Amino acid sequence: MHADARSDLAAWRAEVPALALPVHGRRLVYLDNAATTLMARPVIDAVARVATHLPGNVHRGVHALAEAADAAFEGARATIARHLGARPDEIVLTSGTTAAINLVAQAWGRANLGPGDAVVVSALEHHANLVPWQAACAERGATLRIAPIDDAGRIDLVALDALLDARVKLLAVAHLSNVVGTVAPIAAIAARAHAVGARVLVDGAQALPHLPIDVAALGCDFYACSGHKAYGPTGTGVLWGRADVLAAMPPWQHGGEMVAAVEATRARYREAPARFEAGTPNISGVIGLAAALDHAATRDRAAVAAHEARLHARLRAGLAATPGVRVLGAPEAAVVSFEVAGVHPHDVATILDQEGVCVRSGLHCAEPLHARLGAAASVRASLAYYNGDDDVDALLAALTRVREVFA
Amino acid sequence: MSDVRALYQATIVDHDRHPRNHGALAGADRAATVDNPLCGDVVTIELRLTDRTIAAAGWTGRGCALARAAGSMLTVALAGLDAAAAAARLDALEALVRAAPDAPVPDDLGDLAAFAGVRGFASRRGCVLIAVRAARACLSG
Ligand SMILES: Cc1ncc(COP(=O)(O)O)c(C=O)c1O
């Protein structure tokens, strides 16, 4: 690593207080970033500032505190929109990716799916981008089709073409896989889906912290993501929807804030995005998410991308050189999942944890994908900008401990 | 002894690597399967009863070292016990893994005392209990 990169990393780390938490008396080696990320001080401060300085509710009051909260909240929406290349009125604020996808599956599905229709999802989806479609299809009499992947974990575009016909009303696909770490060619996939008149939803939960996101350039109709996976607070998420698509959608949840006029027996709903935001939102969380995206923009994008790519390559090379390790698929970014021959992923993760190394073990909410790849479960290491060579090397060293215990 | 060694005691690793009574049990008259959907682990326990006594026990399944060792060690521990004694054994093992990490270990547990290390690993208790629940289901079935 050259000196600039090293000093960047030291500065980045100094801003993340959780990195100083000792784990079993050791330095924290946090490699479970695909589960959730650690917040930097400016993000934490933005969240705390809402409690101390912006205690009002949004969209409700005319008093000073309510107006201040409202202005900050709508300012956050505009900030989030800017970072995604979107318009603020296309940004629906949710509790996370899961809620964003359920919103589309339920609300858009109610208006657009019926008997004989089909939805296509890929074979590598997180349960959050699979089960809502199973449920929506079952409720609406539609069919769910699974677009196959190859052994590398890449969507098979030829097989996808064969699945796409006029019955397909929506295609849902992950931008960056949370298990195999492959990046889907969204523009190419979206073009194919649009050619048969289908809408395209992209699950950007893992992509937001690692890839530049420009929803207009991606060519999709919906983009769902979570704040907590992108260095923001938990309980926050975004559904971006193209303005014309959102405008034609019925609401999902009903209640306050989303109505224009209410009589005793009926109500008129507001325009998007308010129509999709019933009830009091996670005000501090949304403001924290905007702060996280602003803070990420202060880091040199190219430098972060190069740093993460180098760490990812080091991790892949180290695992390839570790006896008994099989990597799932051919990971391209941020995430690597693997098996250790003869040792269950939970046992691997417990031993790594004792060395201060936090990884995920199990199915990572992707049971069908594990079955497809012939793995009962796996260990997943996932990177963030604040990881360094020392973290990757600590993981690789801890894997030798696994061999010792299960000699 | 590091904490990891306390968890993966030699007896446990031995039963994981060389499981006893593994495979379908000939003439079984009780069988129960329990899984953990969070991790995909699954253990089946089979018993052959003579009167109310466990004449033989077997297990099959897929899981981590703790789940496998618990399946294997329970089949050894339960063989020869009557239903009441077997149920008491299962309760004793469950009580052991649910106890505080520094609680004294009862001295009548035999090899099952090796699971005392799990007390320091709350997230791994369930791994041992899959086999316990399967065996209990056999006894009540
Ligand atoms: C690809 C993918 N989609 C969806 C989700 C669900 O995100 P959340 O739990 O924040 O709603 C995750 C997170 O685990 C994910 O990795």
Side-chain angles (χ1 to χ4, degrees), chain A residues 8 29 34 173-174 231-232 241 254 276 307 332 352 374 398:
Chain A
D8 278 351
V29 176
V173 64
Y231 316 113
H254 304 76
F276 305 107
H307 171 68
E332 295 167 340
L352 297 186

Side-chain angles (χ1 to χ4, degrees), chain A residues 71-87:
Chain A
F73 188 77
E74 290 308 318
R77 186 192 309 275
T79 299
I80 293 165
R82 184 162 42 78
H83 288 295
L84 297 181
R87 289 171 20 188

Side-chain angles (χ1 to χ4, degrees), chain A residues 24 341-344 346-348 350-351 353-355 361-363 367 376-377 401 403-407, chain B residues 2-5 7-8 13 16-17 36-41 62-66 120-121 123-124 127:
Chain A
H24 306 301
V343 187
H344 191 283
H346 283 351
D347 296 319
V348 175
T350 290
I351 294 168
D353 173 59
Q354 290 299 305
E355 305 290 313
S361 57
L363 297 165
E367 195 169 345
R401 258 317 261 153
R403 284 264 143 259
E404 288 163 25
V405 173
F406 288 97
Chain B
S2 80
D3 284 342
V4 159
R5 288 286 182 200
L7 178 65
Y8 297 111
V13 173
D16 168 50
R17 303 280 102 164
N36 179 349
L38 286 182
C39 60
D41 288 4
R62 177 181 79 204
C64 64
L66 300 175
F121 295 81
S123 67
R124 303 303 303 278
C127 307

Side-chain angles (χ1 to χ4, degrees), chain A residues 98-290:
Chain A
T98 304
I101 296 172
N102 274 278
L103 194 167
V104 178
Q106 290 298 312
W108 181 90
R110 184 151 23 96
N112 294 284
L113 286 179
D117 291 340
V119 171
V120 174
V121 301
S122 91
L124 48 71
E125 299 311 310
H126 187 282
H127 295 166
N129 198 27
L130 171 63
V131 183
W133 301 112
Q134 293 174 346
C137 286
E139 284 163 17
R140 317 239 22 107
T143 307
L144 188 60
R145 300 179 184 175
I146 310 296
I149 54 169
D150 61 18
D151 292 338
R154 284 187 291 255
I155 294 165
D156 179 339
L157 294 181
V158 175
L160 176 65
D161 280 337
L163 283 183
L164 290 173
D165 57 35
R167 289 173 179 272
V168 177
K169 295 294 180 275
L170 184 137
L171 181 151
V173 64
H175 196 175
L176 169 57
S177 160
N178 71 310
V179 176
V180 285
T182 47
V183 180
I186 298 299
I189 290 173
R192 285 169 159 78
H194 286 154
V196 297
R199 298 289 184 206
V200 176
L201 177 142
V202 176
D203 172 353
Q206 296 298 339
L208 180 60
H210 300 293
L211 306 177
I213 308 298
D214 179 345
V215 288
L218 282 172
C220 55
D221 302 290
F222 297 107
Y223 197 91
C225 48
S226 296
H228 71 104
K229 297 197 195 271
Y231 316 113
T234 53
T236 62
V238 177
L239 172 67
W240 169 80
R242 272 217 341 264
D244 56 319
V245 182
L246 288 182
M249 267 166 64
W252 176 33
Q253 296 181 328
H254 304 76
E257 322 251 19
M258 53 80 72
V259 279
V262 181
E263 299 165 35
T265 56
R266 58 182 183 168
R268 208 155 40 74
Y269 307 127
R270 290 172 66 190
E271 303 293 303
R275 189 192 310 158
F276 305 107
E277 296 178 356
T280 298
N282 182 350
I283 300 167
S284 62
V286 166
I287 289 168
L289 170 53

Side-chain angles (χ1 to χ4, degrees), chain B residues 47-50 52-57 75 78-83 86 139:
Chain B
L47 302 179
R48 194 165 69 228
L49 301 180
T50 309
R52 290 288 286 160
T53 297
I54 297 170
T75 57
L78 297 183
L81 299 184
D82 66 22
L139 289 173

